[in-house]
């Protein structure tokens, strides 16, 4: 049965734009021009000057009144939602009731974005706290939001950049895991730190086994889509619709797609449509329209109900939440919401959060809701392709869950260390062996990178006083190896298992290279990415590092860059440097120009040239 198409409802997202598109109403610039003409006529004198001036004022008042009337009409139009849709071929309800918009979202200031400030990890004394433990993180949202801000000429607020999400945005040439071994490989590399002259940098890299799209198996996907008024702008709902079309174009008959939308109320748009029913999927997405306030909690509950209804054993079962994170109505206890998400994850239903837009964007909520799933920010169609097409296997298919990392440093060789990033992924030492403690997931083909900056004992210049005792109390001899600087351990669970498995690797002193230039391109590029994140966060642990050194480091490590992401990073880095420099330039309160007018006054056309050597201004022959 072919789906019957109805005319698409158009929702006005911005009253200002609506007014500027015509309708016989003069724009603000045209009105100002009329006033200037009237004033100039008055200044020039003449019988009709005063009359023209009064007529211009009258026209201005009439235009202002019409503008106010049209603005009110536009706001009424913004409360409308798509007209009720027809029944799809699978008898899904394609309509809902949406509450009116409570406010004009087009006027929301950028200051209403919500980015959580991270307290950066400090320098740990290996003799006192030799063990560092954290959960892996595969999110990339922080890098994409940073990219958008820089392109708009703004720097993020200091402390809000999650460095690990910048690192994990990029792919690195880690080896694939061997067949019949752990689901991911582990790589370590050690070289001098670019941030401080007397320190070393340790890189830990994980690479999940890859899986072609053709081998993903059946998928049960539930799109949970925000259609509230805050999603009306072009970089939100329209981009979301196009992005999901890219995803659904890759599905087949074995896949199931459901769509739940939420605003003032939640509604089911599609209930288990076939993945190859392109006509129905496209039509359902195109009919979405923004309006109403945001009740995200109700939508999440309904989305999980559909995910359980169409659950595919041994398949992919995932809710994909797409929103600007403006949850302002309904659920107030987000701990309960996160607990629900964690509970459903244990039942085999994962969660991916996709963020859109800025202005009232809640990055903090998006990252927290994703929890141990994955979170990406979609600022362009290219980013949508990267996340939902090129990296589809990584986004949808989990190969290991509750992945934890623990590093024990050898106090005989390492005096101090610092984990760069992962501030909100820190775990207690005892959590490493506790299988009831949740940790991050890793998808097929995912790479995870972590960096530690450390100082050897013989380097001196310690930030903390040296410990008095470092020997075994019974033997009186040193109890530490002189060959290993650290011992790396990882725990993970296979998706269908509840008991974790352990991996362990010694990190030897002889692994290190003497010069940073001898390290791999991947190592140096990762160091550059983390360096930019730390500079933007205002880290006070970078003593021999600035934008000049960052530029040299990044440009020397571009390596193989088939999609151009590393070259794009270099451009963003240079933009950040320019903005940082301009922000530091002092602004004068007064203009010191002696007798020169400010701003400078242009000479009127036809004014005779004056010769400074001819003070009497006699006509030159």
């Amino acid at each position: 049965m072919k789906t019957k198409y109805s005319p698409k409802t158009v929702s006005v997202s911005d009253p200002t734009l609506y007014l500027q598109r015509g309708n016989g109403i003069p724009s603000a610039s045209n009105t100002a021009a009329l006033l200037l003409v009237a004033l100039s006529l008055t200044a020039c004198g003449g019988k009709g000057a005063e009359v023209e001036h009064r007529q211009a004022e009258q026209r201005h008042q009439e235009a202002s009144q019409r503008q106010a009337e049209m603005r009110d009409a536009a706001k009424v139009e913004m409360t409308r939602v798509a007209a009720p849709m027809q029944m799809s071929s699978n008898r899904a309800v394609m309509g809902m009731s949406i509450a009116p918009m409570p406010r004009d979202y087009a006027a929301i200031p950028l200051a209403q974005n919500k980015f959580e400030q991270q307290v950066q990890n400090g320098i740990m004394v290996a003799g006192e706290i030799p063990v560092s433990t954290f959960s892996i993180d595969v999110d990339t949202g922080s890098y994409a939001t940073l990219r958008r801000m820089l392109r708009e000429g703004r720097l993020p607020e200091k402390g809000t950049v999650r460095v690990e999400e910048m690192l994990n945005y990029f792919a690195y040439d880690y080896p694939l895991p061997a067949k019949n071994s752990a689901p991911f490989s582990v790589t370590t590399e050690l070289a001098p730190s670019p941030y401080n002259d007397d320190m070393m940098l340790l890189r830990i890299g994980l690479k999940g086994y890859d899986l072609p799209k053709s081998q993903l198996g059946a998928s049960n996907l539930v799109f949970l889509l925000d259609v509230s008024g805050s999603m009306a702008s072009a970089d939100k709902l329209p981009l979301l619709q196009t992005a999901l079309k890219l995803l659904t174009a890759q599905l087949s008959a074995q896949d199931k797609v459901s769509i739940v939308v939420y605003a003032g109320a939640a509604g089911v748009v599609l209930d288990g449509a076939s993945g190859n029913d392109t006509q129905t999927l496209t039509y359902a997405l195109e009919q979405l329209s923004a309006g109403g306030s945001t009740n995200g909690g109700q939508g999440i509950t309904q989305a999980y109900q559909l995910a359980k209804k169409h659950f595919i054993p041994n398949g992919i079962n995932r809710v994909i939440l797409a929103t600007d994170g403006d949850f302002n109505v309904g659920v107030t206890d987000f701990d309960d919401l996160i607990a629900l998400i964690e509970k459903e994850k244990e039942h085999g239903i994962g969660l991916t959060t996709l963020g859109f837009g800025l202005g009232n964007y809640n990055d903090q909520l998006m990252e927290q809701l994703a929890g141990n799933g994955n979170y990406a920010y979609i600022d362009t169609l290219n980013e949508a392709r990267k996340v939902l097409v090129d990296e589809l296997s990584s986004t949808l298919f989990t190969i290991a869950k509750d992945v934890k990392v623990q590093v024990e440093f050898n106090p005989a060789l390492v005096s101090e260390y610092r984990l760069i990033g992962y501030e909100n992924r820190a775990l207690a030492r005892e959590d490493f062996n506790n299988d009831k403690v949740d940790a991050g997931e890793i998808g097929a083909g995912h790479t995870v990178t972590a960096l530690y900056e450390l100082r050897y004992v013989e380097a001196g210049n310690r930030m903390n006083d040296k410990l008095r005792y470092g020997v075994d109390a019974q033997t009186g001899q040193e109890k530490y190896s002189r060959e290993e600087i650290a011992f790396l351990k990882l725990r993970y669970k296979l998706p269908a298992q509840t008991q974790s498995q352990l991996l362990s690797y010694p990190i030897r002193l002889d692994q290190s290279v003497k010069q940073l230039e001898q390290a791999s391109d991947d190592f140096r590029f990762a160091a550059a990415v983390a360096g930019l994140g730390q500079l933007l966060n205002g880290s006070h642990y970078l003593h021999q590092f600035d934008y000049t050194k960052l530029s040299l480091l990044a440009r020397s490590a571009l390596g193989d860059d088939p999609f151009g992401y590393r070259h794009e990073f270099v451009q963003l880095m240079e933009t950040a440097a320019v903005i940082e420099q301009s922000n530091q330039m002092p602004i004068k309160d007064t203009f010191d120009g002696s007798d020169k007018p400010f701003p400078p006054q242009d000479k009127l056309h036809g004014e005779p040239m004056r010769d400074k050597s001819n003070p009497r201004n006699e006509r030159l022959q």
Side-chain angles (χ1 to χ4, degrees), residues 609-611 613-614 616-621:
M609 296 293 295
R610 298 180 184 273
D611 185 359
S613 63
N614 184 10
R616 296 176 61 185
N617 197 31
E618 297 176 353
R619 184 177 296 274
L620 298 178
Q621 301 299 324

Side-chain angles (χ1 to χ4, degrees), residues 11-19 67-68 70-79 100-110 112 228-233 236 290-293 324 326 328 358-360:
S11 177
V12 180
S13 62
D14 188 338
T16 306
L17 293 176
Y18 181 83
L19 293 171
Q67 273 189 323
M70 291 301 296
R71 185 179 295 109
D72 292 340
K75 287 183 178 180
V76 172
E77 177 69 13
M78 289 178 70
T79 63
M101 262 185 69
R103 53 178 176 163
D104 184 357
Y105 279 92
I108 293 177
L110 292 177
Q112 292 195 19
S228 62
S230 64
M231 292 289 291
S233 59
K236 295 185 181 181
S293 56
D324 61 3
D326 184 25
N328 53 27
L358 284 180
N360 61 324

Side-chain angles (χ1 to χ4, degrees), residues 81 96-99 225-229 261-267 289-296 298-299 328-329:
V81 189
M96 58 183 178
S97 176
I98 304 294
L225 310 181
D226 184 353
V227 293
S228 62
V261 293
Y262 66 91
S289 180
S293 56
T294 312
N295 186 350
Q298 183 180 353
N328 53 27
V329 174

Side-chain angles (χ1 to χ4, degrees), residues 280-501:
T280 297
L281 296 175
T282 301
Y283 176 66
L285 290 170
E286 287 183 348
Q287 295 308 302
L288 301 178
S289 180
S293 56
T294 312
N295 186 350
Q298 183 180 353
I300 287 178
T301 302
Q302 204 160 19
Y304 277 114
Q305 290 174 352
L306 284 178
K308 287 186 282 189
K309 176 181 177 181
H310 301 288
F311 188 85
I312 301 176
N314 301 318
I316 296 173
N317 298 276
R318 184 166 292 269
V319 172
I320 299 178
L321 168 62
T323 176
D324 61 3
D326 184 25
F327 285 57
N328 53 27
V329 174
V331 176
T332 57
D333 191 344
F334 290 109
D335 289 337
D336 290 345
L337 201 57
I338 293 172
L340 168 66
I341 294 169
E342 291 296 333
K343 177 183 176 182
E344 297 299 342
K345 188 194 82 165
E346 293 301 320
H347 293 160
I349 302 174
L351 177 70
T352 294
T353 59
L354 303 178
F356 292 83
L358 284 180
N360 61 324
Y361 184 65
N362 196 331
D363 170 83
Q364 178 182 356
L365 178 63
M366 295 296 288
E367 195 254 353
Q368 289 179 351
L369 285 179
N372 300 317
N374 47 52
Y375 155 50
Y377 177 80
I378 309 298
D379 58 334
T380 64
L381 191 57
N382 281 338
E383 185 66 14
R385 175 187 53 77
K386 177 179 184 290
V387 174
L388 300 177
V389 179
D390 299 341
E391 300 174 358
L392 182 64
S393 298
S394 303
T395 302
L396 298 183
F397 191 79
T398 301
I399 62 173
K401 63 182 182 179
D402 293 339
V403 184
K404 307 170 187 175
V405 179
Q406 187 171 82
V407 182
E408 179 185 353
F409 290 95
N410 181 356
L413 297 179
V414 178
S415 61
E416 298 167 331
Y417 66 90
R418 174 175 67 97
L419 175 60
I420 301 174
Y422 293 92
E423 284 86 0
N424 63 0
R425 300 286 176 166
L427 297 174
R429 179 175 174 178
E430 62 270 19
D431 291 343
F432 183 75
N433 293 321
N434 187 349
D435 284 348
K436 293 185 178 181
V437 175
D438 292 324
E441 299 175 352
I442 184 170
H446 259 149
T447 59
V448 179
T449 300
L451 297 175
Y452 281 95
E453 191 178 36
L454 55 93
R455 177 179 280 109
Y456 288 153
V457 169
E458 64 269 17
N461 299 321
R462 295 162 56 96
M463 298 295 291
N464 298 275
D465 293 335
K466 186 177 180 180
L467 292 175
R468 180 179 180 86
Y469 305 103
V471 296
D472 189 300
Q474 295 180 349
T475 64
Q477 298 178 352
E478 287 187 344
K479 55 183 178 181
Y480 309 115
S481 166
R482 286 286 178 176
E483 298 175 349
E484 299 175 6
I485 69 161
F487 194 65
L488 170 63
K489 296 189 294 185
L490 298 103
R491 279 200 176 276
Y492 70 94
K493 299 174 188 172
L494 294 175
Q497 295 182 354
T498 57
Q499 186 173 356
S500 67
Q501 301 183 45

Side-chain angles (χ1 to χ4, degrees), residues 179-190:
K179 189 176 181 180
N180 300 324
S181 66
F184 51 84
S185 64
V186 181
T187 301
T188 59
E189 192 173 3
L190 186 63

Side-chain angles (χ1 to χ4, degrees), residues 268-285:
V268 177
V269 175
L270 281 181
D271 187 348
S274 175
N276 67 344
D277 190 353
T278 305
Q279 188 178 38
T280 297
L281 296 175
T282 301
Y283 176 66
L285 290 170

